[in-house]
Amino acid sequence: MAAPTLLLLALLLPAGAWPGLPRRPCVHCCRPAWPPGPYARVSDGDPWRSLPRVRPTIDIEILKGEKGEAGVRGRAGRSGKEGPPGARGLQGRKGQKGQVGPPGAPCQRAYVAFSVGRREGLHSSDDFQAVPFDTELVNLDGAFDLATGHFLCTVPGVYFLSLNVHTWNYKETYLHIMLNRRPAAVLYAQPSERSVMQAQSLMLLLAAGDAVWVRMFQREQDNAIYGERGDLYITFSGHLVKPAAEL
């Protein structure tokens, strides 16, 4: 019976009618909600002013859990830009001597040489006449053609050339050592009662495909070179001194 009676009284009586409790002040709609906040204006006579203000605090250490396991490693990032070169380091120690390497291939050197002759004498029958040869002494790789009297260069380089003839009595001897179509040197002997040996030599820089040969040049007088079947008086020789690759 007492419990329902007390509940009825609590509903009917205002809060300020209860003995021992301070009367709640009237709160207007323009003021903050009750109880007043830290920045609310409270008068000195307000009974709520004497009440202590409680500020809740949370201990973070209590809420912090245990350390978890390491996660899966992420993908590698993009490479950065290349930085400036660093300073040159100190010179290292001298290394040990290496092993002897295998022997190299032998040096391949080009050899070119010819030496031809003519046993029969020859009289010039035209203003310009090539001198053919009938005797082959040395002719490496067949570079000299006896029928035409031409040496055809296949290995470019510096060549030494020499021409030797026997003059004919009372006849002029006039020959050219030709490089293609240009006279490179002259062998000449005036008419004389006595026949003599005449020689001419020179060095030429030949390119591949150049032709070297001997021609007779007839002027007002007879032009001839002497020869015999038994002896060799007329010779034309040449050899490679140094290939163009080694110049």
Side-chain angles (χ1 to χ4, degrees):
M1 184 72 180
T5 304
L6 293 175
L7 179 62
L8 180 63
L9 291 175
L11 294 175
L12 294 178
L13 293 177
W18 290 92
L21 293 178
R23 181 184 300 273
R24 180 179 180 181
C26 180
V27 179
H28 298 281
C29 61
C30 60
R31 297 186 62 182
W34 192 263
Y39 300 100
R41 294 180 180 179
V42 182
S43 61
D44 296 337
D46 195 336
W48 292 90
R49 184 177 181 84
S50 60
L51 295 178
R53 294 183 180 182
V54 179
R55 296 182 179 180
T57 58
I58 300 176
D59 190 354
I60 301 302
E61 297 296 331
I62 297 176
L63 299 179
K64 184 177 180 180
E66 297 180 357
K67 183 178 180 180
E69 298 180 356
V72 180
R73 186 175 182 179
R75 297 179 180 180
R78 296 181 180 179
S79 300
K81 295 182 179 180
E82 184 178 357
R88 185 175 181 179
L90 300 176
Q91 184 175 0
R93 296 181 179 179
K94 184 178 180 180
Q96 297 180 355
K97 186 177 181 179
Q99 299 179 355
V100 178
C107 180
Q108 297 181 355
R109 183 175 178 83
Y111 295 95
V112 181
F114 71 90
S115 183
V116 295
R118 180 180 175 89
R119 297 187 182 276
E120 292 186 1
L122 183 63
H123 291 264
S124 178
S125 59
D126 200 351
D127 292 342
F128 300 102
Q129 178 181 347
V131 177
F133 295 87
D134 54 25
T135 303
E136 182 180 285
L137 302 175
V138 175
N139 190 11
L140 298 183
D141 299 329
F144 195 95
D145 188 350
L146 290 176
T148 61
H150 285 202
F151 164 73
L152 185 63
C153 176
T154 57
V155 180
V158 177
Y159 284 78
F160 176 81
L161 304 168
S162 65
L163 174 63
N164 295 270
V165 300
H166 194 287
T167 64
W168 206 304
N169 295 353
Y170 303 104
K171 295 185 183 295
E172 187 179 46
T173 301
Y174 201 146
L175 297 100
H176 288 145
I177 298 178
M178 301 291 295
L179 173 57
N180 298 323
R181 302 183 62 86
R182 176 179 62 85
V186 175
L187 186 152
Y188 178 76
Q190 294 180 348
S192 175
E193 297 179 359
R194 299 176 58 184
S195 59
V196 294
M197 292 294 300
Q198 291 286 97
Q200 177 65 284
S201 61
L202 74 161
M203 298 181 71
L204 291 176
L205 177 61
L206 302 182
D210 283 344
V212 178
W213 50 291
V214 180
R215 79 175 182 184
M216 299 183 71
F217 177 41
Q218 183 178 4
R219 299 193 296 179
E220 295 81 6
Q221 303 181 24
D222 292 337
N223 187 9
I225 49 179
Y226 179 80
E228 291 182 359
R229 272 293 179 180
D231 297 319
L232 187 61
Y233 292 99
I234 306 168
T235 61
F236 183 39
S237 304
H239 66 274
L240 176 65
V241 176
K242 193 170 187 178
E246 300 179 10
L247 296 178

